[in-house]
Amino acid sequence: MGQLFLKVLIVGLNFLGFFYPLVDFRFSGKTGGQKPNFVIILADDMGWGDLGANWAETKDTAHLDKMAAEGMRFVDFHAAASTCSPSRASLLTGRLGLRNGVTHNFAVTSVGGLPLNETTLAEVLQQAGYVTGMIGKWHLGHHGSYHPNFRGFDYYFGIPYSNDMGCTDTPGYDHPPCPACPQQSGPSRNPERACYTDVALPLYENLTIVEQPVNLSSLAQKYAEKATQFIQHASASGRPFLLYVGLAHMHVPLSVTQLSACPPGRRPYAAGLREMDSLVGQIKDKVDCTAKENTFLWFTGDNGPWAQKCELAGSTGPYTGLWQTRQGGSPAKQTTWEGGHRVPALAYWPGRVPINVTSTALLSVLDIFPTVVALAQASLPPDRHFDGLDASDVLFGRLQTGHRVLFHPNSGAAGEYGALQTVRLERYKAFYVTGGAKACDGSVGPEQHHELPLIFNLEDNSAEDVPLERGGTEYQTVLPQVRRVLADVLQDISEDNISSADYTQDPSVAPCCNPYRIACRCQTV
């Protein structure tokens, strides 16, 4: 209890501008030589085809394309789930939702979050002597002990969930559009359009709400400033650091930015890509001028584009899920089609990661946890199983292969939340359930369960257009292997130390810095 009080006092004093003097950047223990720093940047709802280095039609990611030329680009890299909270929980634990308990998104009124008996990457690195910071979207619980400051992060600056989960005075672009925060009492919410008007979107610095509603038009620059400040202070301290940046881009609403240089029809989205690219470029530039030789920067995404947002959604590139589009509905975010979970990914570490290399290794956001832990010379938490692998040999050019098998959990489209009903086995991919996600045209593909799964050969059919013939030799050869690896992982999970998330809701836990004002208005920055 005394330690909890002390931490609350320390992070709370940030309101007075005392964060950096009070965070202990010194470390008295042995670190086993100079340990690397880590910067992990996670984009939101960014499509595989939104990265220019992946897809020639994209012209808006100059800084990211430069990073790809100076490092390693992964073209078969996958989110651990196809929606926000489960993907982020897997990044920070190295475990699928059936193990860590996070199978769907948390709400503004969620009491719980990532289960407290799950150990986060930040907690592991804290114990190894790292100073840890998080900038941006959290979405793993904001109430009480679920807040980032109590999950291993010494410093936090950001919004506690998605940037459409609260009204703002600068609502930006959404489809359909949502209104600005109310200035006087009125209906609390429009359920047909899922627009939040009762609680404004909050911006936290540590435990303090410093702005509510947040100004989305200036949020990217605030993130850049806080991230570069953290890198500067941590680098000057001599302690190794972990910085995790959860971008608001490219989730709707897209902020109102300069549109004139962008092509008509795609202006808001293209402008958003350029703003995000600039933000990442500023962070990389700070790394380069302060700790270039000893900092590993990893950029990727949490899931694919949100297709129902139409022109405000990104590109899946060639991963168009044509079998599903013929049935109706979306093959992107929330689904287990390639467009839902195959994401851009870049690794940058001058002198360690080879330059201008394209890797076809099958890798996942799940691999970030064990890879970073190994490079930090730390130990994985005991008494639990992990779904990620240490990808160091791939990153350093010593291996060309990653996983043989990946499992893509149901993420809100069809089937039970978190269930493993899509299996990637080398170049093959098997679906036991399809459908369920809304497309731009409003259609929702019918939920279909396949006792004999649809199996696609992704090498020959990246668009997931025509499945293998069920009576064919190739299908009959692959099917028993799919069944075997699926049975094995389910057996392993049943024997594991698994967690259960609290998804109960209570309106009283919604972040609100001033309950006496409409939409909880306040501003201290």
Side-chain angles (χ1 to χ4, degrees):
M1 180 62 74
Q3 287 183 333
L4 179 63
F5 172 78
L6 180 60
K7 186 153 192 175
V8 170
L9 176 64
I10 289 175
V11 297
L13 281 172
N14 172 72
F15 174 74
L16 300 177
F18 293 149
F19 165 66
Y20 287 115
L22 286 176
V23 170
D24 185 6
F25 284 98
R26 298 167 298 168
F27 179 60
S28 57
K30 295 181 179 179
T31 61
Q34 189 180 24
K35 293 185 176 184
N37 309 307
F38 302 100
V39 177
I40 300 167
I41 303 177
L42 190 70
D44 199 344
D45 288 3
M46 183 182 181
W48 188 93
D50 287 339
L51 177 66
N54 282 347
W55 198 237
E57 294 178 16
T58 300
K59 309 293 184 184
D60 303 300
T61 57
H63 294 283
L64 286 168
D65 296 344
K66 182 173 183 286
M67 189 189 305
E70 296 174 344
M72 185 174 288
R73 177 172 63 101
F74 303 95
V75 293
D76 202 358
F77 194 95
H78 299 264
S82 299
T83 194
C84 304
S85 296
S87 183
R88 293 157 200 276
S90 290
L91 185 157
L92 289 176
T93 65
R95 287 153 55 87
L96 287 165
L98 287 185
R99 300 186 199 270
N100 65 40
V102 180
T103 57
H104 53 291
N105 288 340
F106 294 105
V108 174
T109 53
S110 285
V111 173
L114 176 65
L116 300 178
N117 56 315
E118 289 291 320
T119 303
T120 70
L121 178 61
E123 289 169 327
V124 173
L125 265 59
Q126 265 189 337
Q127 292 298 311
Y130 279 70
V131 61
T132 57
M134 201 240 153
I135 311 290
K137 174 179 172 178
W138 173 241
H139 215 170
L140 292 174
H142 53 271
H143 179 59
S145 298
Y146 297 99
H147 186 280
N149 282 134
F150 302 112
R151 305 313 303 270
F153 290 102
D154 297 309
Y155 178 66
Y156 174 62
F157 182 88
I159 54 178
Y161 30 67
S162 296
N163 56 325
D164 65 343
M165 293 173 65
C167 64
T168 71
D169 292 334
T170 53
Y173 296 93
D174 202 346
H175 180 82
C178 284
C181 286
Q183 301 292 330
Q184 57 189 13
S185 297
S188 62
R189 193 171 176 187
N190 182 342
E192 293 183 1
R193 297 201 303 180
C195 295
Y196 292 77
T197 56
D198 47 350
V199 178
L201 187 67
L203 178 65
Y204 277 84
E205 188 157 28
N206 293 319
L207 298 177
T208 302
I209 297 175
V210 294
E211 188 178 41
Q212 192 172 13
V214 62
N215 183 347
L216 291 178
S217 298
S218 60
L219 186 60
Q221 192 53 41
K222 288 177 181 174
Y223 282 177
E225 291 169 0
K226 295 296 183 180
T228 55
Q229 287 172 14
F230 180 88
I231 292 168
Q232 179 64 44
H233 283 269
S235 298
S237 74
R239 284 183 64 185
F241 66 84
L242 165 69
L243 175 61
Y244 168 41
V245 183
L247 302 176
H249 300 79
M250 296 300 297
H251 200 292
V252 293
L254 302 177
S255 63
V256 179
T257 54
Q258 178 57 248
L259 305 182
S260 60
C262 302
R266 292 280 293 167
R267 282 182 174 175
Y269 196 85
L273 269 180
R274 292 184 182 193
E275 184 178 62
M276 180 199 71
D277 183 67
S278 174
L279 168 54
V280 175
Q282 290 178 67
I283 295 173
K284 178 181 175 291
D285 288 346
K286 189 63 178 180
V287 167
D288 283 346
C289 70
T290 54
K292 183 174 183 176
E293 292 77 16
N294 199 42
T295 302
F296 176 33
L297 196 158
W298 205 328
F299 174 89
T300 188
D302 68 338
N303 48 248
W306 201 358
Q308 72 184 68
K309 298 300 179 178
C310 300
E311 73 278 3
L312 302 179
S315 167
T316 60
Y319 304 104
T320 49
L322 292 180
W323 187 94
Q324 183 62 63
T325 58
R326 286 197 299 271
Q327 311 289 316
S330 164
K333 178 180 177 176
Q334 298 182 313
T335 78
T336 56
W337 299 96
E338 290 296 288
H341 53 74
R342 191 182 289 233
V343 290
L346 304 172
Y348 172 77
W349 189 355
R352 298 295 303 276
V353 172
I355 64 170
N356 202 24
V357 170
T358 298
S359 171
T360 59
L362 179 58
L363 294 175
S364 167
V365 165
L366 289 160
D367 304 327
I368 292 175
F369 185 101
T371 303
V372 169
V373 169
L375 293 173
Q377 306 166 42
S379 299
L380 291 173
D383 305 324
R384 66 198 64 191
H385 300 169
F386 296 89
D387 298 291
L389 56 78
D390 176 3
S392 299
D393 284 340
V394 176
L395 290 166
F396 301 145
R398 296 191 290 261
L399 274 182
Q400 305 301 318
T401 56
H403 293 265
R404 176 175 177 261
V405 179
L406 278 181
F407 301 95
H408 302 299
N410 298 341
S411 299
E416 181 183 353
Y417 285 126
L420 304 180
Q421 293 184 279
T422 305
V423 181
R424 172 74 182 271
L425 174 65
E426 296 174 337
R427 66 181 181 273
Y428 297 100
K429 188 176 175 188
F431 292 81
Y432 284 91
V433 65
T434 54
K438 183 183 290 187
C440 172
D441 63 8
S443 67
V444 177
E447 182 169 322
Q448 299 182 53
H449 293 261
H450 309 279
E451 185 176 350
L452 287 175
L454 303 176
I455 300 179
F456 296 86
N457 182 334
L458 294 179
E459 281 189 3
D460 299 334
N461 192 357
S462 62
E464 294 170 304
D465 184 7
V466 180
L468 302 179
E469 290 287 342
R470 287 191 169 103
T473 302
E474 190 174 10
Y475 185 97
Q476 293 299 323
T477 300
V478 175
L479 180 59
Q481 298 178 55
V482 168
R483 287 173 168 167
R484 190 178 310 118
V485 297
L486 184 55
D488 287 348
V489 75
L490 294 177
Q491 179 67 28
D492 185 76
I493 290 171
S494 72
E495 298 170 354
D496 194 10
N497 179 14
I498 63 174
S499 302
S500 178
D502 179 4
Y503 278 100
T504 60
Q505 296 189 38
D506 180 348
S508 70
V509 307
C512 185
C513 62
N514 189 343
Y516 301 104
R517 296 194 64 189
I518 300 299
C520 300
R521 288 183 175 275
C522 72
Q523 184 170 351
T524 60
V525 295

